[in-house]
């Protein structure tokens, strides 16, 4: 995809996250890029549908990787200079993940929103 998340070879098709590769801004496959692409992707979908110019987005270059090993233990890394491990990192990651999932568990009442 280009920097508007539109497919280079198929105009009108958009993608973000692990299912695509940004030609101008290659990044590793990590959830943070998909999450942060959401707002600009939504904006560009609306722009496309309303025939407005698409807006370029440059994703961040660095990120903190937190990988759970499931026992409860996790590994953290950032760039080439930081690597940590331990149970305290699993606790932190678990807290982050639970807060994220809670946003999709406690949804607003759609009927009330339509009033």
């Amino acid at each position: 995809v280009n920097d508007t998340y539109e497919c280079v070879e198929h105009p009108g098709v958009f993608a973000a996250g692990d299912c695509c590769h940004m030609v101008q801004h290659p990044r590793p496959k990590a959830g943070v890029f998909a999450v942060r692409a959401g707002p600009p992707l939504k904006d560009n979908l609306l722009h496309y549908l309303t025939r407005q110019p698409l807006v370029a987005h440059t994703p961040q270059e660095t990120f903190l990787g937190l990988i759970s090993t499931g026992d409860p233990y996790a590994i953290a890394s950032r760039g080439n200079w930081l690597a940590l491990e331990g149970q305290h990192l699993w606790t932190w990651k678990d807290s982050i993940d639970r807060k994220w999932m809670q946003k999709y568990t406690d949804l607003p009442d759609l009927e009330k929103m339509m009033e």
Side-chain angles (χ1 to χ4, degrees), residues 19-31:
C19 72
C20 69
H21 170 76
M22 287 192 86
V23 176
Q24 292 101 331
H25 310 289
R27 300 289 187 265
K29 304 299 182 196

Side-chain angles (χ1 to χ4, degrees), residues 25-75:
H25 310 289
R27 300 289 187 265
K29 304 299 182 196
V32 66
F33 299 115
V35 170
R36 300 250 172 115
L41 174 61
K42 177 201 68 142
D43 292 344
N44 278 330
L45 287 169
L46 293 172
H47 284 208
Y48 183 83
L49 292 171
T50 57
R51 293 179 166 42
Q52 297 177 28
L54 302 180
V55 179
H57 176 250
T58 303
Q60 67 195 64
E61 292 188 22
T62 60
F63 66 101
L64 176 66
L66 277 172
I67 301 169
S68 173
T69 61
D71 49 2
Y73 204 78
I75 301 166

Side-chain angles (χ1 to χ4, degrees), residues 43-115:
D43 292 344
N44 278 330
L45 287 169
L46 293 172
H47 284 208
Y48 183 83
L49 292 171
T50 57
R51 293 179 166 42
Q52 297 177 28
L54 302 180
V55 179
H57 176 250
T58 303
Q60 67 195 64
E61 292 188 22
T62 60
F63 66 101
L64 176 66
L66 277 172
I67 301 169
S68 173
T69 61
D71 49 2
Y73 204 78
I75 301 166
S77 66
R78 182 172 175 102
N80 294 326
W81 55 270
L82 176 68
L84 302 169
E85 61 179 303
Q87 186 172 1
H88 63 288
L89 293 171
W90 182 90
T91 303
W92 185 31
K93 178 172 176 32
D94 185 60
S95 173
I96 291 169
D97 291 347
R98 288 179 186 277
K99 286 178 187 172
W100 173 257
M101 293 306 297
Q102 195 67 35
K103 293 191 287 188
Y104 300 97
T105 304
D106 295 334
L107 299 174
D109 185 337
L110 294 177
E111 289 182 12
K112 287 183 180 178
M113 291 175 63
M114 299 303 285
E115 295 176 351

